[in-house]
Amino acid sequence: MLDRTLPPPFVKSTSFQLPQVSKDRLSNGVPLTHLNNLQQDLVKIEVVFNAGKWFEHKPEVSHFTVQMLDKGTRTMSAKQIAELFDRYGAHIELSSNFDFASVALYALSKHISKLYPIFLELITSPSFDEPEFNLLKEHFLQGLKVKNEKTSYLASKLIRSKIYGPVHPYGQSANEENVDQLSVNDLRVFFDKRMKPSHFFILGKLNSTDLETLKNTIGVINTQTDSPSDFSSEPDKSPIYVEKKGSVQSSIRLGKQTLQRDHADYPGLLILNYYLGGYFGSRLMKNLREEKGLTYGISSSISSLKNDSILLIGTDVNKENREAAINEIMKEINLLHTSIDDSELDLAKRHFIGSLQGEIASPFSILGKIKNIELHQLTSTYYQDLIDNIDRVTKQDLHHLAKKHFQKDTFIEVSVG
């Protein structure tokens, strides 16, 4: 008889299996990736462009160009577009980041023939209506004023500027002057030069007629763009404290450039960072939250971009605890060189691997991983290889990596508040 007073035995799994996808290359060279594993009659159609901040000729032009795409086309106004998608229970998702921009349509399969023509207009012939642009700028500036009152936003903005330099795409942040200077013509120029499809993703079921329509229409769009500019980082390693009157807390950020995905040390660096501050049971959380009571939360993360990676440690503390918190962070960084607890490392590994496995719990998140592989030109077994490498890393390996990549004097220190 089963003894229900005993917990079930722990079963360790290191498997990370992504489903098979259908791949094609359109007549204009754009790669098409189709994942057809949805049970529901739902479709996501996404076109990706090499049109993030890296490619801007003016600050913030990428963001506003993308956000204006559903604000009117040659045949429909912004209101008509919104009403059409609402009528069919569909949704348009517009996004831009440091490296890429994308436009995605979510809709029921049966409505694709009615909705796709206007989706195509969004990415080929937006109107860039000036009153809509002025309204969008006004809302953006109102939001920016609110953000600029937050120490956490100011610290995050400042640390990137210190790491890369204020003119580097990864170091730039929005300011009112940049936004005020943008014109509709700037958006049109950026659209004409940069908004050319680089990748095409489909999730869900499509009938053969609709699929061929998508291929034939995306496949004839001109994809020729200028070569991107090269940028050099200009880090300013001097620590800085910006006092903000009236603030009762300080936002602390420590950061540096770090390894990219293709480096042999990258998997070990990932789990070392995870052990330090990547989850609730990390060393930084145990020290600064549980033992010292200096903060409600602290994290350390590695963001892998197309052209670089950045390691950031961040927390918010009471003003009077700012220096104590920084000292404790530095102490934990230094301990990585000589002292890593076996049981805590094992827990960090299991948590990291389990969290990564949990990120493919839905078809949309699965597509996200496949998309990441395609956009960053990773191997098809990248995630399984990553898990295998992390699973076999030892604390001796991590001591070695810490001495190479977690030197205290390589971190740039910023605090605001």
Side-chain angles (χ1 to χ4, degrees), residues 47 73-74 85 92 105 115-126 191 213-214 216-221:
V47 181
T73 68
R74 65 188 176 195
F85 287 110
I92 289 289
L105 166 65
L115 296 171
Y116 178 70
I118 188 62
F119 173 83
L120 186 62
E121 280 194 30
L122 298 185
I123 63 173
T124 56
S125 56
F191 179 86
T213 298
L214 267 60
N216 292 336
T217 50
I218 300 295
V220 297
I221 299 175

Side-chain angles (χ1 to χ4, degrees), residues 280-295 298 328 331-332 335 344:
F280 196 80
S282 69
R283 285 305 316 156
L284 290 175
M285 284 292 285
K286 286 184 177 180
N287 183 330
L288 278 80
R289 176 188 162 101
E290 295 179 18
E291 297 172 10
K292 304 294 190 305
L294 296 173
T295 182
I298 181 169
E328 291 302 323
K331 184 181 88 172
E332 290 297 336
L335 282 172
E344 289 184 7

Side-chain angles (χ1 to χ4, degrees), residues 368-408:
K369 289 291 182 282
I370 293 170
K371 179 179 162 185
N372 205 41
I373 287 172
E374 294 294 321
L375 295 183
H376 293 276
Q377 298 175 313
L378 306 174
T379 65
S380 60
T381 59
Y382 169 76
Y383 287 105
Q384 183 63 68
D385 295 341
L386 179 65
I387 287 176
D388 292 341
N389 285 326
I390 284 175
D391 187 48
R392 60 174 169 257
V393 75
T394 66
K395 73 175 183 179
Q396 287 76 25
D397 296 329
L398 297 188
H399 287 322
H400 176 68
L401 291 175
K403 290 171 184 174
K404 287 173 64 178
H405 305 295
F406 275 84
Q407 293 288 345
K408 291 195 298 183

Side-chain angles (χ1 to χ4, degrees), residues 319-388:
K319 246 181 180 180
E320 62 270 21
N321 294 328
R322 182 180 66 87
E323 290 188 11
I326 292 172
N327 289 338
E328 291 302 323
I329 293 170
M330 291 301 186
K331 184 181 88 172
E332 290 297 336
I333 289 173
N334 200 47
L335 282 172
L336 296 176
H337 300 180
T338 57
S339 178
I340 291 177
D341 183 270
D342 286 311
S343 61
E344 289 184 7
L345 175 57
D346 184 59
L347 179 61
K349 284 184 182 181
R350 285 191 280 131
H351 194 279
F352 180 93
I353 293 171
S355 297
L356 189 58
Q357 291 168 328
E359 290 176 12
I360 54 172
S362 76
F364 294 99
S365 56
I366 290 170
L367 181 64
K369 289 291 182 282
I370 293 170
K371 179 179 162 185
N372 205 41
I373 287 172
E374 294 294 321
L375 295 183
H376 293 276
Q377 298 175 313
L378 306 174
T379 65
S380 60
T381 59
Y382 169 76
Y383 287 105
Q384 183 63 68
D385 295 341
L386 179 65
I387 287 176
D388 292 341

Side-chain angles (χ1 to χ4, degrees), residues 265-318:
D265 287 348
Y266 183 78
L269 185 73
L270 268 187
I271 195 60
L272 180 62
N273 177 75
Y274 205 73
Y275 172 88
L276 174 68
Y279 73 117
F280 196 80
S282 69
R283 285 305 316 156
L284 290 175
M285 284 292 285
K286 286 184 177 180
N287 183 330
L288 278 80
R289 176 188 162 101
E290 295 179 18
E291 297 172 10
K292 304 294 190 305
L294 296 173
T295 182
Y296 284 110
I298 181 169
S299 65
S300 182
S301 62
I302 294 175
S303 299
S304 297
L305 306 173
K306 181 73 173 177
N307 300 289
D308 199 22
S309 291
I310 182 170
L311 193 160
L312 284 177
I313 300 171
T315 188
D316 296 328
V317 301
N318 287 338

